[in-house]
Amino acid sequence: MWKKIFRSGSDTKEDAAALMNSINRENLPRHVAIIMDGNGRWAKRRGMPRTYGHNAGVKTLKKILKTANSLGIEVLTVYAFSTENWKRPHTEVDCLMQLFAEYLDREMQEMNEDNVRIHFIGRTDAFSPLLRDMMTKAETMMAGNSGIHFNVAVNYGARDEIVRAVQSLMSMSKAGEMQPEDLTEELFDASLDTSGDPPVDLLIRTGGDLRLSNYLLWQCAYAELWFTDTNWPAFSPEEFLRAIQDFSGRHRRFGGLDDE
Ligand code: FPP
């Protein structure tokens, strides 16, 4: 299994098994979120169009999903398209839509065999009926799987998600189904797109920037942050494991004090 994932390129340089063994399994993140940044810059450095970087980014995503699933991580949430990404040239937006469709078409079967449960979060209603149909088909096909819960954030913005949650809660209140004082953190959490998932334990951002970019703002309240200069297409399973290893050695206090 590990040989298969780590087979190519620089991934063979380190002993993946040793890295795996050094991870404290008692302290794995339950939910890992990733901002997959740097596709465009990676491509530009190679004298290629940005879309070349997105294509390479899909290959990275496949490897990281397999690694996270094998490790026993419960939830992986990746930022594939933000509510702000519509501002990009339409050729790039079209390419990304095409990539999502191709990815689903090509990978759905294998993800299902790997016991992955896919779920799309964000305003999916903005996509073409064909793409929406493919997303629903993939979700339905994998709904009963017990492996990693793989959230793909598309047309996603955390502020937008929060406003939609508030809207639905206000509608319930208006219909007399709840009173304002009934609102709890748990109920609010259950009104978000990630309903049912544990909070994000570890947020990874590739590409060198140190910001959250409107991603999972509620869910990341106590997330540990891990930034790398590596651009997403060059992000390897080894580097992912290093982030997990780093997390597994961290001590989280959640606002409390260290034990004596
Ligand atoms: C950010 O890099 C990346 C994106 C906006 C798209 C992410 C998409 C993928 C990794 C591939 C498709 C995903 C799926 C689920 C099939 P950027 O373009 O902003 O890079 P830059 O900062 O170097 O310009």
Side-chain angles (χ1 to χ4, degrees), residues 9-175:
S10 60
D11 291 347
T12 51
K13 280 186 197 150
E14 279 186 38
D15 184 354
L19 202 48
M20 286 295 294
N21 289 338
S22 69
I23 292 173
N24 177 4
R25 300 300 183 99
E26 302 295 304
N27 201 16
L28 277 182
R30 292 180 69 196
H31 187 166
V32 178
I34 307 185
I35 300 177
M36 310 180 287
D37 201 12
N39 291 349
R41 279 165 286 166
W42 181 88
K44 201 173 164 203
R45 261 178 224 151
R46 283 158 182 78
M48 300 299 280
R50 296 175 52 80
T51 49
Y52 181 76
H54 296 315
N55 267 295
V58 176
K59 293 187 185 124
T60 300
L61 178 58
K62 181 173 177 175
K63 285 193 267 183
I64 299 303
L65 173 63
K66 278 189 182 279
T67 307
N69 197 16
S70 308
L71 204 54
I73 286 166
E74 285 174 50
V75 187
L76 178 71
T77 303
V78 298
Y79 210 176
F81 194 85
S82 77
T83 46
E84 286 73 35
N85 286 153
W86 296 107
K87 293 179 204 155
R88 294 186 177 204
H90 76 88
T91 46
E92 183 169 341
V93 172
D94 288 352
C95 160
L96 282 166
M97 297 301 141
Q98 178 80 19
L99 270 184
F100 298 153
E102 283 170 11
Y103 176 75
L104 283 178
D105 196 39
R106 200 180 52 236
E107 305 295 337
M108 208 158 72
Q109 203 58 47
E110 191 171 330
M111 278 193 270
N112 194 34
E113 282 159 20
D114 286 347
N115 204 16
V116 171
R117 186 160 54 108
I118 201 168
H119 177 51
F120 292 90
I121 63 169
R123 280 185 189 257
T124 49
D125 55 354
F127 296 116
S128 72
L130 180 69
L131 191 51
R132 272 194 332 235
D133 198 48
M134 291 178 84
M135 288 172 174
T136 310
K137 207 169 139 201
E139 285 178 336
T140 310
M141 180 196 231
M142 297 178 226
N145 289 347
S146 57
I148 195 165
H149 190 183
F150 178 39
N151 291 320
V152 184
V154 284
N155 194 23
Y156 175 88
R159 288 181 175 177
D160 176 71
E161 179 192 32
I162 289 169
V163 168
R164 283 187 285 112
V166 172
Q167 281 171 344
S168 97
L169 290 161
M170 285 175 83
S171 300
M172 284 168 69
S173 179
K174 198 173 163 195

Side-chain angles (χ1 to χ4, degrees), residues 20 34 37 49 62 75 82 85 87 122 124 130 145 172 177-178 195 203-206 226-227 230 235 238 250:
M20 286 295 294
I34 307 185
D37 201 12
K62 181 173 177 175
V75 187
S82 77
N85 286 153
K87 293 179 204 155
T124 49
L130 180 69
N145 289 347
M172 284 168 69
E177 290 161 20
M178 65 174 282
S195 170
L203 173 72
I204 296 173
R205 180 174 188 139
T206 64
W226 202 84
F227 297 101
T230 307
F235 188 69
E238 278 181 339
R250 290 192 197 182

